[in-house]
Amino acid sequence: MQRRILNKWKQYKYRFVPWLILNMKDRSVRSVSESESEVISESLFISYLYGFLTKLHQQLNNGAEMEKYMTGLKVMKEITGFTVERAPTSLSSGGQGVKVTSGTIQPCTITSLYPGLIYEPHEPILFQSIGNSFIFRCADGVLLDGNDKGLSKYLYRSCRGRDSCWPLPACDDSWLTEHTICPLNVGQYVNNHNKQYPANVAYQEFNIPEDFPAHLRQYLPNNHSASCLSVPEGTQRLLRVVALVSLKEIKCGEELFSSYFTVVQ
């Protein structure tokens, strides 16, 4: 029991803001290795995202939640040749993970996106971080809260309602449910690697430009915590999106594993 608690703390502490403040020598950055710094280019990522979401938008209809979920998986299989879904993890600790449910993922392929509300380094996130193992810390100190329960869930939906401009929502909130409309939006459930299961995906951070089409932005799983009114006039507001990119071939039935905190070699 004690060993299990210690293992959970080792994974969770890098997402607990008070611990980061007290223990990190450099509080503004997350260290990454050279292999994680850039697996694919930003232009390639934007192009892929545009094509994927355009196809998804064309095929979605006003059907039930489960029908939209199945349509999303169909689009993913058509475009990428594989599908990924949330499933029970292979780790002994149990819980959820993300597995390849059809096809094979080739190296340097976008497998999923990390959902969540975006917090700039100066924005408060103390209460949301308590007991929250879904906070991702970007290289520049920006935080993504990918928790789909409790206070985090309430705040995400609140900010989505605040920034939406009818008839288009500001972002996707279906990732807060069991059946996300965009099948890419499951990255928060990718577990950290261990000795038995080495990392097969890497986090890569991108900024979505302001002119990215609004009808496609509604399928992205990220939104700003702060209102656009807080941004100085004339300042470009980029949307942070974190993708999990494959480092090697991942076959059907295999689980995705990532390395959250990596020391620069």
Side-chain angles (χ1 to χ4, degrees):
M1 176 64 72
Q2 185 178 5
R3 180 177 295 179
R4 180 177 294 182
I5 293 174
L6 287 174
N7 287 337
K8 283 186 175 293
W9 169 246
K10 286 180 180 179
Q11 294 188 27
Y12 166 62
K13 64 184 180 181
Y14 294 113
R15 304 168 189 262
F16 184 51
V17 174
W19 186 91
L20 288 172
I21 294 174
L22 293 173
N23 292 274
M24 298 296 287
K25 292 181 179 180
D26 187 341
R27 302 172 187 173
S28 64
V29 299
R30 177 177 68 90
S31 296
V32 295
S33 66
E34 289 185 9
S35 62
E36 286 185 297
S37 61
E38 183 173 316
V39 182
I40 61 173
S41 67
E42 186 163 83
S43 60
L44 180 61
F45 173 74
I46 298 296
S47 176
Y48 167 82
L49 204 58
Y50 181 86
F52 187 100
L53 298 182
T54 297
K55 184 76 170 181
L56 181 66
H57 183 71
Q58 291 171 347
Q59 295 200 18
L60 280 176
N61 52 41
N62 295 321
E65 182 181 277
M66 189 63 182
E67 185 179 347
K68 292 180 179 179
Y69 174 70
M70 297 306 296
T71 299
L73 289 176
K74 179 183 175 182
V75 170
M76 174 177 262
K77 186 62 183 293
E78 290 177 356
I79 292 179
T80 66
F82 65 86
T83 57
V84 295
E85 299 178 71
R86 286 169 50 178
T89 182
S90 305
L91 299 175
S92 58
S93 57
Q96 291 285 300
V98 176
K99 292 185 177 181
V100 184
T101 53
S102 69
T104 299
I105 301 176
Q106 298 302 320
C108 301
T109 301
I110 298 160
T111 67
S112 53
L113 303 178
Y114 198 102
L117 203 56
I118 303 167
Y119 291 85
E120 298 297 330
H122 62 275
E123 293 178 324
I125 192 176
L126 172 60
F127 292 109
Q128 299 92 304
S129 73
I130 298 174
N132 186 352
S133 59
F134 292 99
I135 294 180
F136 179 85
R137 188 168 183 262
C138 296
D140 58 359
V142 170
L143 299 175
L144 269 62
D145 183 2
N147 193 357
D148 57 12
K149 297 178 178 62
L151 178 60
S152 299
K153 179 178 181 178
Y154 171 81
L155 290 173
Y156 185 89
R157 282 190 164 156
S158 176
C159 292
R160 177 178 181 269
R162 176 199 67 198
D163 295 336
S164 294
C165 184
W166 189 89
L168 295 176
C171 54
D172 173 44
D173 69 344
S174 67
W175 65 271
L176 298 169
T177 70
E178 291 185 8
H179 302 108
T180 177
I181 292 175
C182 179
L184 290 171
N185 301 343
V186 294
Q188 81 278 31
Y189 278 99
V190 174
N191 286 297
N192 295 337
H193 78 294
N194 58 27
K195 292 181 180 179
Q196 183 179 2
Y197 300 104
N200 52 21
V201 296
Y203 293 107
Q204 192 169 346
E205 303 159 18
F206 301 96
N207 290 313
I208 304 298
E210 286 186 316
D211 61 357
F212 194 78
H215 72 284
L216 301 182
R217 189 180 286 252
Q218 65 177 312
Y219 303 113
L220 294 178
N222 304 101
N223 193 34
H224 297 279
S225 171
S227 168
C228 61
L229 298 177
S230 64
V231 180
E233 187 176 351
T235 302
Q236 189 178 22
R237 196 186 201 197
L238 303 176
L239 183 73
R240 178 62 53 84
V241 172
V242 175
L244 288 95
V245 185
S246 59
L247 298 173
K248 58 184 180 180
E249 183 179 87
I250 311 172
K251 297 181 179 179
C252 182
E254 291 188 287
E255 183 173 350
L256 306 186
F257 288 100
S258 65
S259 175
Y260 178 73
F261 187 80
T262 307
V263 178
V264 174
Q265 300 299 322

